[in-house]
Amino acid sequence: MRYFFVWFLLSVSSFAAATTNQQQHLELQIGTEPHSGCALVNITFQGDADGTTELEFSRWAGLENLSDHLRGVQASYLDGSILELKQDGDDGWLVDHDPNATISFQYQIASNSLQQEGEGQAYFRPLVSAEMIHLIGHSALLLPSHYKQDFSLKFTWLPHSHTAAFNSFVGANDFKKDSVSMSELRGALFVMGDIQIEQREVAGQPLYITLQRRPDEGLDWNFNIALLADLAASITQAERDFFGDYDFPFYWVSAISAGQAMSEGYMFSGTLLHNNFALFLNPSTIFELNEPNGSPIVNLLAHEMMHVWIGSRISPELSTPVGELAWFTEGFTNYLTNKVLLHAEILSQEQYVTVMNEAFTALIENPAKNASNEDIAEKFWSDFDHQMLPYQRGHLVAFYLDHSLRSTNLESLIKAWLADGTWNQAFTLERFLASVKPHLAPANLEQLKNFIEQGSLPSWTSLQTSCFKPDGEKKLIQSAQENCF
C-alpha cells in the first residue's frame, strides 16, 4: 500500500531573510513520518531575486530519476500560503514566489528496498526502510541553485522512530554553522537507525565509527565494531602522519548493511563524503587481514580516506568531465594508499609487491587499456573496463613518476602542492606536467605524457635501481629488496 502524507512545519521558523548584501541562510530538518516510515525533509531558504527558484539534486555518481523517490512535494510561504510548484526535468523543481521571499519546501522520501535488494551505485540513493534511513545530500536534498556562496546553516533532527541519528557535521546533535558551502552540504551524510557508536582519537582529534546492527534478526556481524574502529583509527593516523595534516576537528566512518547475506564470499563498497567515509557492507563481510594483497576492507578504507587529499584538496576544475582526470584522482590515490599502508607496516613488503604486480596485470589485460581520457570520460558510467582503466593506469603512472623523479619524490611534490593551496578545483594535465617537468629527464617526461594520454606503456627497465628489478612483461616488479619503497 502506498501512503501519501503531506507534512507541514508547524513550529515558528527563526529564519531571517538576507538582503542582497548579507550572507544567505538555510535551515534543514530531517526526521520520519510515523505512519508510513517515509523520511521527512524540510528546507527553508531565501528565494531567488528574480522570483523563480530552481531546486535541484546534484549531478553525482551518474544517478538519475531521483525525484521518483519523492512524495508530497510542496512549497509555501512561512504563513502557510501554498506556492505554485512544477517539476523541471527528471531531477529539478521550480517554484514561483515574491522576489527574495522566504520559502519553506517540504517533501518525503518514500520507503524502498534498495538497502536489501540493491547493488553498486544503488546504495548512493536514499535508503529508507523501517531499519535504516541513510541520506546523502547529493541524492536526497533538493537545494536552491542560486546559493553560490557560503551560507549559514541551521540543522535540526525532527522526531523519528530510530534508536540513534548521526550527521556529517557534528555527529548526533542539532547544530548551527556560520559558514557552510553547497559542496559540503551536498556531500553530507545523515543516518538514522539501530546503530552502535564507537569513538577513537587521532592526534587528539575525535574519530567516530558507527555500525548498523545487522537487520536479519538474531544474527551478528563476523566482526565487532571495536575491530572496525581500531582499523579505521590506524589508517587515519597513518595517512595524517604521511601528509603531516591533523586539522580534522570531526571525522566519522559509517558502516551499514547492504544486500542479502551470501553463502560464498561477500561484496562491499564505499564513498568519501563530507567529514565522512560511508561503507556499505554485505552481511557476510569478513576482515581478511592476512591476504597476499592485503585486506580488501583495509584497502577500501585507506583508499577512500586518501581522497581527503587526492581528489578533494587537490582536485580537477569543476568543468572537467567525470573520469577525464581520474587517472590522477583515483590512480594516484591507489598508489599513495599502498605506500602509506606499507610505511605504516599495515601492508608488508611482500604484500606491496603483490599489489603492484596485480595492478600491472589488470592494466595490460584490460581490453580498453589504450583508451584516451576523453573516451574514459564518455564511457565512465556505462562500461566497466573504461571505469576501471584510470584506477589501473593512474596507479602505474604514479609508480613510474615516483621512480623517474630526480632531486625529489612524489610524496614531496604532493606535499608542496598541498602547501601551495591553489590546486583545489585547479588540477589540470597541463599544470601537472609543467610541475613535474623540472624533475624529469626529457625522455621520461615524454613517456609519462604518452602513458597518461594514450596508455602507451613506458620503458620499465629504465627504472632499474639497486632497490628493485622491474620486469615489465609478465609482472611489474620481478624482485625487490627490503625497505625499497
Side-chain angles (χ1 to χ4, degrees), residues 168 184 187 202 207 232 235-253 271-278 299-316 328-330 332-334 336-337 340 414 417-419 421 423-425:
S168 282
E184 289 171 339
V202 176
L207 173 68
I235 293 166
T236 303
Q237 181 77 60
E239 294 193 351
R240 293 180 186 177
D241 286 346
F242 183 82
F243 289 105
D245 185 359
Y246 303 97
D247 185 19
F248 297 87
F250 172 86
Y251 202 82
W252 168 34
V253 176
T271 188
L272 182 75
L273 298 169
H274 177 58
N275 291 337
N276 168 265
F277 170 58
N299 291 341
L300 177 64
L301 279 168
H303 175 100
E304 294 300 334
M305 290 182 181
M306 181 62 68
H307 278 314
V308 169
W309 296 275
I310 309 301
S312 295
R313 298 187 182 181
I314 304 174
S315 57
F328 176 75
T329 58
E330 297 297 348
F332 274 52
T333 295
N334 272 352
L336 291 169
T337 291
V340 168
I414 289 178
W417 297 344
L418 289 166
W423 288 76
N424 182 23
Q425 298 178 2

Side-chain angles (χ1 to χ4, degrees), residues 435-481:
S435 181
V436 302
K437 181 179 179 179
H439 308 287
L440 290 174
N444 291 126
L445 179 64
E446 185 65 21
Q447 289 191 58
L448 179 75
K449 183 174 183 293
N450 291 337
F451 192 13
I452 293 170
E453 294 184 326
Q454 306 165 16
S456 302
L457 292 176
S459 172
W460 302 108
T461 54
S462 67
L463 304 182
Q464 181 163 326
T465 67
S466 60
C467 205
F468 70 92
K469 181 180 179 182
D471 183 317
E473 293 184 5
K474 295 182 179 179
K475 56 186 178 180
L476 182 66
I477 302 174
Q478 189 175 48
S479 62
Q481 299 177 13

Side-chain angles (χ1 to χ4, degrees), residues 151-172:
F151 51 90
S152 58
L153 173 66
K154 177 183 178 182
F155 173 77
T156 307
W157 290 110
L158 294 168
H160 56 83
S161 56
H162 298 283
T163 57
F166 229 74
N167 68 72
S168 282
F169 290 94
V170 300

